[in-house]
């Protein structure tokens, strides 16, 4: 068991369908700490770096279009084995294979519109967090608590 950080994206279909709150609540209720959170427009350069492992695959261009067509909600969460845990919360990549009770299993139909992203390894998490967040945009619960106690 390790305390890990991971990058989550609620992709454009989650935003357009009004499911962001519902989806984010699942990570929160699971006990993960939100360290960073923003609504943002992903540039094509960010998208291509983020999905570099898929370059050359037939769906790559569509994937870059998907992630850059609308704003997305990006977040960094932290918790015990958060990388595996958040991917389990998301469910299988293809929603038709995703277990009911997961985000994709509850809200998705097709692999091309599968609502969420979560990093798949510690190395990927570190790389992906750096694509979407500056260090100064990440806060711990202790930051918020200290400010609240100082009131
Ligand atoms: P993951 O998001 O579960 O980690 P990956 O295999 O890393 O899945 O694929 C990244 C994203 O690319 C998927 O979430 C999905 O949006 C898209 N994708 C993967 N395979 C296909 C496909 O066969 N057709 C269309 N889009 C795909
Ligand atoms: Mg992946």
């Amino acid at each position: 068991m390790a305390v890990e950080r991971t990058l989550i994206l609620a992709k454009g279909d989650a935003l357009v369908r009004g499911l962001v709150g519902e989806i984010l609540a699942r990570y929160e209720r699971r006990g993960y700490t939100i360290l960073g959170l923003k609504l943002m427009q992903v540039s094509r350069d960010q998208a291509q770096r983020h999905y570099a492992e898929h370059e050359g695959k037939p769906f790559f261009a569509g994937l870059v279009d998907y992630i850059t067509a609308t704003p997305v909600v990006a977040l960094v969460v932290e918790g015990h084995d958060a990388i595996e845990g958040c991917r389990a919360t998301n469910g299988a990549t293809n929603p038709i294979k995703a277990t009911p009770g997961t985000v994709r299993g509850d809200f998705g139909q097709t692999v091309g519109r599968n609502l969420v992203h979560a990093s798949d390894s510690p190395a990927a998490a570190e790389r992906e967090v750096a694509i979407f967040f500056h260090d100064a945009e990440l806060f711990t619960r202790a930051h918020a608590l200290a400010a609240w106690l100082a009131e």
Side-chain angles (χ1 to χ4, degrees):
M1 189 171 70
V3 175
E4 296 172 335
R5 294 179 174 194
T6 190
L7 179 86
I8 307 285
L9 300 176
K11 302 191 278 195
D13 46 336
L15 185 67
V16 169
R17 293 174 59 198
L19 293 170
V20 169
E22 163 81 41
I23 291 169
L24 265 50
R26 294 179 177 217
Y27 310 114
E28 267 199 306
R29 288 195 303 235
R30 201 159 173 186
Y32 299 123
T33 304
I34 295 175
L35 304 184
L37 175 61
K38 60 184 167 185
L39 178 66
M40 63 179 287
Q41 178 62 50
V42 180
S43 69
R44 292 190 80 78
D45 175 65
Q46 280 175 312
Q48 283 163 354
R49 282 191 284 132
H50 175 64
Y51 284 127
E53 65 177 299
H54 298 300
E55 210 173 335
K57 295 182 185 169
F59 60 85
F60 182 71
L63 182 55
V64 171
D65 288 346
Y66 171 32
I67 208 77
T68 57
T70 66
V72 304
V73 173
L75 68 157
V76 179
V77 303
E78 184 175 71
H80 295 292
D81 296 328
I83 293 167
E84 186 180 349
C86 288
R87 286 182 67 85
T89 290
N90 287 359
T93 304
N94 188 341
I96 216 69
K97 302 257 169 59
T99 312
T102 64
V103 173
R104 289 162 169 168
D106 285 349
F107 304 121
Q109 293 182 22
T110 64
V111 69
R113 293 290 181 270
N114 63 355
L115 299 134
V116 279
H117 167 84
S119 311
D120 66 5
S121 69
E126 192 179 338
R127 190 180 70 79
E128 293 173 2
V129 167
I131 292 172
F132 289 88
F133 287 88
H134 301 294
D135 283 349
E137 294 176 308
L138 300 177
F139 303 90
T140 65
R141 196 171 276 166
H143 282 108
L145 188 61
W148 183 69
L149 290 174
E151 268 282 301

